[in-house]
Amino acid sequence: MSDTALDITGWTCPAPLRDRPRVVMGHGGGGALSAELVQHLFAPAFGGEVLAQLGDSAAVSLGGVRLAFSTDSYVVRPLFFPGGSIGDLAVNGTVNDLAMSGAEAAYLSCGFILEEGVEMSVVARVAEAMGAAARAAGVEVATGDTKVVESGHGDGIYINTAGIGIIPEGVDLRPQRVVPGDVVIVSGEIGLHGVAIMSVREGLEFGVDVQSDCAALGGLVRSMLAVTPDLHVLRDPTRGGLAASLNEIAAASGTGVVIHEGRVPVPAPVANACAILGLDPLYVANEGKLVAFVPREHADAVLDAMRAHPLGRDATVIGEAVDAHPGLVVARTALGGTRVVDLPIGEQLPRIC
């Protein structure tokens, strides 16, 4: 072997290295790299107890009223896809973040970042989709802003929305409330949004038209809270999929999570697409599903209420919180074995929302 030192400065790695000095796509994927960016760069820079909650939305008190406050940015490519558009995502995504705190979404802000040269008809289609989605969700776009960047410095349209809503009295949804014995329920079939985006972006055909599940979940959450306000935590498994949400809850609660792989509702088109592409459906993004950790004594009633709602008719119990392996998510396979479902490093499919 030569004693000459290797020059590795030009090497590349398909999986982003954890100590990279520059931003990589994985930092926006909702996995371990995203968590590290927030926890080790943004959180120390901003400080504050509210931010330290690191939830889908922040629960704050203002004038004696408990509010949920959330913001999100949308850079999905393509702008239009089967089952929705960037406009639908911009409304439903923020409404859902508020709903995961149990809040009744009330008002949204909207910031458009437009690339010079984008057709006005495209902007109009997106704006109309946003308006229709807001009306369907029962929220009002109350304020906004528009900026334009030079041609070649954007990707048509980016959107930021922020939202506020009121948290009902007695509702306290956060992962720290999860205890061993809690039942894990998912509201329906997973992976549809990610596969829908993939099909149009990559020009893939899976033998069936796959539609995104993009939807506002506020009504479903209201149905669940009507059974009992004592739900422990809700999450909408978007970037990083169901696996990322379960890992975030396990880590924050200090409990283990066991899921039964065969009980997770994976529709055939998603399973087939993932088999072809070597993907795990647990890591594929959703935009109209939630996962709930519910006290065992309320689980049956909550499940019945979910199944009575159009967005929860396929709701299924997939597992439970346990004392064992705190902070880890484990899947029991159909063959009787187990595997660790780890937090993804980045994102299997970037620019998903």
Side-chain angles (χ1 to χ4, degrees), residues 315-336:
T316 306
V317 173
I318 63 168
E320 63 181 337
V322 296
D323 281 312
H325 49 79
L328 291 179
V329 179
V330 171
R332 291 181 178 162
T333 69
L335 298 177

Side-chain angles (χ1 to χ4, degrees), residues 211-236:
Q211 299 279 322
S212 170
D213 60 346
C214 183
L217 296 170
L220 177 60
V221 173
R222 283 194 296 273
S223 296
M224 298 166 68
L225 291 173
V227 173
T228 175
D230 189 30
L231 306 178
H232 284 170
V233 68
L234 302 177
R235 281 286 188 274
D236 59 331

Side-chain angles (χ1 to χ4, degrees), residues 91-105:
V91 171
N92 293 337
T94 296
V95 166
N96 291 347
D97 284 345
L98 296 172
M100 296 308 103
S101 293
E104 294 276 357

Side-chain angles (χ1 to χ4, degrees), residues 182-197:
D182 279 0
V183 173
V184 182
I185 304 174
V186 67
S187 64
E189 296 178 332
I190 66 169
L192 291 165
H193 178 71
V195 171
I197 294 290

